[in-house]
Amino acid sequence: MTVPPGSQPGADGAPPQLPTCVRHPDRPTGLRCTRCERPACPACLRDAAVGQQCVDCVAQGQRNFRRPVTVAGARLSDKPILVPVLVAANVAIFVLTAVQAGSIGANYQSAWFDELALWPILVAGGQWWRLITSGFLHFGLLHLLMNMIALWVIGRDLELVLGRLRFGAVYLLSLLGGSTAVFLFGDEVTAVAGASGAVYGLMGGIAIAALRLKVSLRPVLVVIALNIAASVLIPGISLLGHLGGLVLGVAATGALVYAPRDRRTLVQGAALAALLVVLIALLVTRDVQFGNVVCIGSGANTRCGLGS
């Protein structure tokens, strides 16, 4: 009589007994895991490249499997999430200001626009939120469309390379870099708004990513050059905000894609934190230069002066 492997001969010539599943001792089974060769019932087996493996071996294989990542350490993905959210936020805020102002072309006359736009003198007076909120405002529909198209075209590819968290950090640092440049060198009583600083940061970021990936830089450089030329030639555009965002985008993305693989997360986090500290130091220094600015009122009716 031939006995199947793992089976125990029955007493007094009875049929051999099947082994029981290692996870379910009450379930006899003639099946085995092709990896560990332990008996397993059908509920505990999963199809594998060769035969079937038990759930324990499958779990161990997944733990040992190294997921492919991008040059920035992000998991591979084919669907950007943050860029559509940012576009939707910018469009929603534009609609709100247009409704409040009663005009699409003159949405900047909205009281809410006045409360959120970047006026350097008001920032010096303590309204620091304007450094961020101004990056979600736009002067008219054309301004909005130009920035959102650029954000959609450039941002989606960069988000897939960097991953959502890292992309969000680059976007915010670029936005703050543009606002910082305006606060440092811009006209104290001129309102500035727009996502251009953040968008220029993404332009610089995609150029650095292309350089790291060793792909052609020509299309990216052409887009950046055209936008810089437009910043210089078209009146009313803040060149300072664009250049500030571009510099921060290049620096932040460079820190992400060139970080050493063995200490990638630590180096990336430290580099981004250092950039933020530098921006804060510049803002505080410029604020001290302004002196003790005191602002009274709200929006366009705000009046500022030096306190005692």
Side-chain angles (χ1 to χ4, degrees):
M1 180 179 66
T2 302
V3 179
S7 300
Q8 301 296 328
D12 300 328
Q17 297 178 352
L18 292 174
T20 58
C21 172
V22 292
R23 295 173 62 89
H24 302 98
D26 59 332
R27 300 180 185 178
T29 179
L31 303 175
R32 289 179 175 274
C33 171
T34 55
R35 183 174 181 180
C36 67
E37 296 187 350
R38 295 183 303 172
C41 66
C44 293
L45 291 173
R46 301 291 183 269
D47 290 331
V50 177
Q52 293 179 314
Q53 295 183 5
C54 65
V55 290
D56 295 328
C57 288
V58 171
Q60 182 180 2
Q62 291 177 343
R63 286 194 298 269
N64 296 334
F65 176 71
R66 177 175 293 181
R67 295 180 180 275
V69 296
T70 67
V71 292
R75 291 185 179 181
L76 295 181
S77 175
D78 58 356
K79 185 179 181 181
I81 301 296
L82 196 53
V83 168
V85 171
L86 289 170
V87 171
N90 278 273
V91 172
I93 292 174
F94 177 82
V95 170
L96 290 175
T97 57
V99 170
Q100 190 179 52
S103 171
I104 293 178
N107 69 302
Y108 51 85
Q109 295 179 356
S110 161
W112 201 30
F113 196 102
D114 286 336
E115 291 292 340
L116 301 179
L118 174 56
W119 302 71
I121 191 66
L122 297 183
V123 174
Q127 299 181 16
W128 292 91
W129 64 83
R130 295 176 180 271
L131 295 168
I132 299 297
T133 57
S134 60
F136 293 89
L137 299 173
H138 292 86
F139 290 98
L141 184 60
L142 180 60
H143 188 202
L144 174 73
L145 289 176
M146 289 177 60
N147 280 337
M148 292 305 100
I149 290 174
L151 173 58
W152 184 259
V153 172
I154 297 173
R156 289 180 303 166
D157 289 336
L158 190 58
E159 182 180 343
L160 296 181
V161 173
L162 300 182
R164 288 192 294 272
L165 184 61
R166 295 175 179 85
F167 175 84
V170 171
Y171 188 91
L172 290 177
L173 282 173
S174 300
L175 190 159
L176 186 57
S179 297
T180 300
V182 173
F183 185 60
L184 290 175
F185 307 111
D187 188 348
E188 301 172 2
V189 293
T190 299
V192 175
S196 304
V199 170
Y200 268 73
L202 300 185
M203 291 181 187
I206 199 71
I208 295 300
L211 184 64
R212 175 68 176 83
L213 294 170
K214 296 180 173 59
V215 299
S216 176
L217 286 172
R218 182 175 298 177
V220 177
L221 294 178
V222 169
V223 171
I224 294 175
L226 289 174
N227 278 273
I228 292 178
S231 301
V232 175
L233 298 175
I234 300 176
I237 293 182
S238 174
L239 179 60
L240 288 172
H242 292 181
L243 293 180
L246 180 64
V247 170
L248 262 295
V250 167
T253 306
L256 295 176
V257 300
Y258 284 101
R261 182 177 301 178
D262 55 340
R263 295 177 298 163
R264 177 182 284 148
T265 303
L266 177 62
V267 172
Q268 289 175 341
L272 296 180
L275 290 174
L276 180 60
V277 169
V278 169
L279 290 176
I280 293 174
L282 292 173
L283 290 169
V284 172
T285 300
R286 179 56 175 147
D287 183 64
V288 171
Q289 293 175 350
F290 267 103
N292 184 25
V293 177
V294 178
C295 297
I296 302 175
S298 177
N301 296 321
T302 305
R303 297 294 179 265
C304 298
L306 292 177
S308 57

